[in-house]
Amino acid sequence: MPARRHLWIFIVAGAGVLVLALLVFLALRPLAAGPGAEDALPQPTWASPAAAPVSAAAPTAPGVAGLVDADWLAQTASSTGIPARALAAYAGVALSKAVEMPACGLAWNTLAAIGFAESRHGTHGGSEIGPDGTATPGIYGIALDGSSTDHIPDSDAGAVDGDAEYDRAVGPMQLIPQTWRNWHVDANADGAEDPQNIDDATLASANYLCRASGDMAAESGWHSGIAAYNSDPAYAVTIAEAGSRYRSQAQ
């Protein structure tokens, strides 16, 4: 009996040690590696330029959207998931700026990332981008009353944003009235300047970014431009991730 008792105690003790070792291993494994750590990729710190869009042999439509080759547009819209009409604005503006201001180096994938972050390419709140590039219904941000945003009192008597008390960001690229006043432009050649039009809004945004950055093709210049657009560090992370994803998907 004593021998059997000692054997039983030894077996129980040994099993306890194994269970304890297993628990320690499971507890320490996430600290050492983390789930899927071996497959983790470093997060992008900025959105380096994607390859330039292919220019149309002849304009396919008035304004910047007509500058883009139809086959490139269809293929890239399919591979990135960006709506073709929005992508035509981003790519057309990039082609336009490459001629007008080549030193800026602003790429379509950064413009697309901003359009994604600001309005999901003009689809926020059920809006749609029409064939002429205009968002319907119009897209309006929250009042910039200082409660959870910068405090920006009305600057346009509500003419652009419909709010005579506080400014609101408007359109697919979410430009505040002051920015639109400084950079307004007719990019779709319809004779009107409209921040709700994705061509007009994207070219206005590009003009602003190029002025703020100097060189959007360099990491430091890219960060200067994005910080001028929105100074929240989390915003730069969002743009870097989306812009890098679009560059990769378009390859």
Side-chain angles (χ1 to χ4, degrees), residues 52-80:
V54 177
S55 300
T60 60
V64 295
L67 301 177
V68 187
D69 176 76
D71 290 339
W72 181 93
L73 183 63
Q75 179 178 345
T76 307
S78 176
S79 64
T80 61

